């Protein structure tokens, strides 16, 4: 197999004494026995995407290892010294249950401390939202969490947080990347200073738990809490370190943990994917719920920023909510609570994303507040909080099963969201209703919105080129009609231009540039195409809607909307 000279040049750098003998041995073996794997390991450098840097663990520039993370940390150290010159620099570091997360976290801590930066390192695995909280709680300049979120076991990742507790956003991300790319691997200082590394645990835990209870509790009577039967699974992840404690502190006693999934385990042995977006991930939790007749099922991904929720439908059967549904029900509840407390002043806002349900805009309008819409990723919602300090953030979410309440945590937070959804469920049950019935009531008021997501995986160099070509085709040969409905508007976030096909007029998009394309149809349907920033995937998001005349018509209208989505997918040849 022929390997490009530029790739071989990179490989040869990794065969110099800067790199340890074990790394060099692995590369030497790959050159003869696995040239295709060698090419994939070196053909590019890992980059920051919507969720930070994420990739397969192994040797090479396109892999997560001590050198790629060390180089990023050295670059970040140099940037911090430049931006906060003269200050005593502090960073917080957390890690999840994945293989090598603890050792990689120590590598990162060593590099920071070797550069004279004080490090607060969690002594054990902790949820990502606790890291976001800890950055502000400990007055740090930055934070790092070692996690690959919901990716398969062979992945790991590196999320960077700024002093506001939110993930990196422009211009910091670009400036840091420039510094990182200017470094040689020989510039990394791996010799840690233990005097600058402080291990943290219970003190920060207690503060985080209390903050969560304060932000996500809404005067639910203890009798209502006592009557709610909860099934919870951490899916072998970090939320076991927080959620049982938070629910207990909040007064929920009937919490049933799926025993087979209780212990953290980077192999995720009981699930195909540790992602609550995937229905099968909650199979064991649903089985336990039926066995004990639970009211609600909640589950989290490995780093506990995403949550999955299942509740009983109108027929009493357990039904998984999608991310848009759980986001809408939580947002509507928060807005109603704020209205009842007479706290709405028209200076508040909720947050959402361009690929999430349009129903968020309808909710904001109904309560007389603003819904700020940004790109995919909670870093943009956190940026809204930072950029608009005179406005108060109530809550917000995105379709990918994430939600955030208030501003104590500046990232999606399954710990707080699970407490909130239990509050909603307990209050609804006490009132003779349910979460699902409340969701149906919203459809009666605002229309029945149904969303669906397709992810198409394309691995390696060829896959990346295929994804690129798919976006080129959608731009250069735009669809004029889909499923019998005219395309009335196309928004291209890469060019920051939108075209109204009815008037043939274009207008500027003020949201930051991103490789996203959105088609709007004349019946209110919305189709979005977006290559993932952290995975070898292209994602297509579909949103359709219809009037819901009555509760009794719910199942019929849902079937009609499902058929509409299937027809759109078939016509776009995405099956």
């Amino acid at each position: 197999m022929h390997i490009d000279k530029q790739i071989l040049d990179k490989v040869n750098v990794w065969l110099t004494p800067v790199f340890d003998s074990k790394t060099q041995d692995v590369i030497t073996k790959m050159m003869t026995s696995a040239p295709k794997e060698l090419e994939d390991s070196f053909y590019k450098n890992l980059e920051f995407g919507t969720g930070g840097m994420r990739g397969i663990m192994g040797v090479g520039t396109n892999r997560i290892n001590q050198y790629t993370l060390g180089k990023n940390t050295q670059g970040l150290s140099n940037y911090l010294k430049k931006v906060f010159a003269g200050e005593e620099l502090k960073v917080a570091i957390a890690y999840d249950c994945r293989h090598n997360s603890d050792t990689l976290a120590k590598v990162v801590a060593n590099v920071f401390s070797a550069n004279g930066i004080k490090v607060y390192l969690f002594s054990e695995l902790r949820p990502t939202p606790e890291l976001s909280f800890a950055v502000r709680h400990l007055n740090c300049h930055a934070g790092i969490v070692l996690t690959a979120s919901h990716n398969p076991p062979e992945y790991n990742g590196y999320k960077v947080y700024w002093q506001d507790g939110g993930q990196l956003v422009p211009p910091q991300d670009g400036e840091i990347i420039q510094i990182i790319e200017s470094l040689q691997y020989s510039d990394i200082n791996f010799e840690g200073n233990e005097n600058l590394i402080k291990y943290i645990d219970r003190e920060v835990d207690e503060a985080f738990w209390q903050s969560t209870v304060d932000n996500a509790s809404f005067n639910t009577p203890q009798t209502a809490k006592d009557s709610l039967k909860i099934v919870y699974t951490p899916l072998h992840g970090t939320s076991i370190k927080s959620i049982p404690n938070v629910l207990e502190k909040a007064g929920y006693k009937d919490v049933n943990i799926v025993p087979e999934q209780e212990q953290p385990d980077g192999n995720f042995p009981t699930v195909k994917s540790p992602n609550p977006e995937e229905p099968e991930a909650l199979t064991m939790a649903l089985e336990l719920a039926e066995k004990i007749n639970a009211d609600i099922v909640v589950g989290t991904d490995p780093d506990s920023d995403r949550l999955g929720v299942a509740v009983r439908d109108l027929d009493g059967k357990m039904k998984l909510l999608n991310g848009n549904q759980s986001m809408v029900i939580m947002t509507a509840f928060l807005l109603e609570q704020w209205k009842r407390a007479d706290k709405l002043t028209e200076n508040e806002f909720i947050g959402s994303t361009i690929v999430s349900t349009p129903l968020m805009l309808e909710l904001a309008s109904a309560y007389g507040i603003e819904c700020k819409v940004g790109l995919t990723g909670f870093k943009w919602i956190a940026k809204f909080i930072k950029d608009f300090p005179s406005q108060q953030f109530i809550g917000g979410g995105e379709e990918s099963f994430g939600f955030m309440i208030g501003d104590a945590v500046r990232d999606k937070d399954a710990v707080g969201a699970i407490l909130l959804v239990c509050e909603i469920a307990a209050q609804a049950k006490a009132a003779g209703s349910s979460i699902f019935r409340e969701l149906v009531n919203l459809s009666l008021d605002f229309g029945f919105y149904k969303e669906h997501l397709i992810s198409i995986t394309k691995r390696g160099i060829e896959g990346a080129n295929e994804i690129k070509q798919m976006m080129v085709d959608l731009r250069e040969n735009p669809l004029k009609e889909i499923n019998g409905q005219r395309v009335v508007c196309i928004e291209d976030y890469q060019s920051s231009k939108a075209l109204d096909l009815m008037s043939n007029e274009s207008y500027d998009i003020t949201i930051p540039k991103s490789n996203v394309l959105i088609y709007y149809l004349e019946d209110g349907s919305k189709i979005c195409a977006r290559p993932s920033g952290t995975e070898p995937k292209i994602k297509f998001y579909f949103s359709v809607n219809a009037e819901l005349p009555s509760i009794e018509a719910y199942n019929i209208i849902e079937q009609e909307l499902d058929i509409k989505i299937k027809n759109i997918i078939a016509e776009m040849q995405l099956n």
Side-chain angles (χ1 to χ4, degrees), residues 36 39-41 43-44 56 62-63 155 457-467 535-537:
K36 185 75 174 175
E39 181 184 62
D40 192 60
S41 298
Y43 84 94
K44 68 174 184 177
I56 295 170
N62 189 32
R63 295 289 185 263
Y155 280 76
T457 300
K458 302 283 186 180
R459 299 189 184 279
I461 300 173
E462 295 87 353
N465 290 332
E466 282 186 63
I467 289 173
E535 301 171 82
K537 293 179 178 179

Side-chain angles (χ1 to χ4, degrees), residues 485-501:
Q485 297 290 322
R486 288 180 301 172
V487 177
V488 295
C489 181
I490 301 174
E491 293 178 341
D492 188 345
Y493 288 81
Q494 188 162 271
S495 66
S496 297
K497 291 288 184 181
L499 176 64
D500 185 328
L501 296 179

Side-chain angles (χ1 to χ4, degrees), residues 44 95 246 303 369 428 515 542:
K44 68 174 184 177
Y95 58 91
V246 165
D303 68 326
I369 64 164
N515 190 12
F542 306 90

Side-chain angles (χ1 to χ4, degrees), residues 124-191:
E124 293 181 316
L125 72 171
R126 289 295 187 277
T128 289
E130 185 168 353
L131 184 278
S132 172
F133 173 85
V135 169
R136 295 176 69 224
H137 181 70
L138 298 169
N139 296 311
C140 292
H141 295 83
I144 303 290
V145 61
L146 280 297
T147 177
S149 188
H150 56 284
N151 282 56
E154 64 269 23
Y155 280 76
N156 214 319
Y158 180 93
K159 285 185 180 179
V160 183
Y161 292 78
W162 207 235
Q163 62 185 148
D164 67 320
Q167 289 187 52
L168 281 180
V169 292
Q172 284 92 354
D173 55 357
E175 292 168 356
I176 291 169
I177 289 169
Q178 279 189 330
I179 290 177
I180 291 169
E181 291 179 347
S182 73
L183 294 175
Q184 303 299 316
Y185 287 100
S186 57
D187 295 327
I188 306 169
N189 190 345
F190 284 111
E191 298 298 322

Side-chain angles (χ1 to χ4, degrees), residues 338-362:
W338 277 60
K339 179 181 178 182
R340 291 178 184 177
D342 200 26
K343 290 166 61 179
L344 293 179
T345 66
E346 298 185 358
N347 199 37
E348 294 77 27
F349 74 96
I350 57 174
S352 186
T353 74
I354 56 174
V355 301
S356 298
T357 177
L359 184 49
M360 290 290 282
L361 296 167
E362 299 286 345

Side-chain angles (χ1 to χ4, degrees), residues 122-123 126 130 199-209 241 245 249:
F122 278 99
S123 58
R126 289 295 187 277
E130 185 168 353
Y199 291 89
I200 53 174
D201 39 51
R202 194 73 183 186
E203 182 183 343
V204 178
D205 291 342
E206 292 282 359
F208 173 60
W209 299 342
K241 295 289 185 179
N245 296 289
K249 189 180 280 285

Side-chain angles (χ1 to χ4, degrees), residues 372-393:
K372 295 184 187 294
V373 178
L375 296 174
T376 304
F378 264 72
K379 63 184 181 182
W380 300 108
I381 297 179
K383 190 175 188 296
F384 288 144
I385 298 172
K386 182 169 63 174
D387 290 349
F388 298 93
S390 63
Q391 288 182 271
Q392 191 163 5
F393 176 69

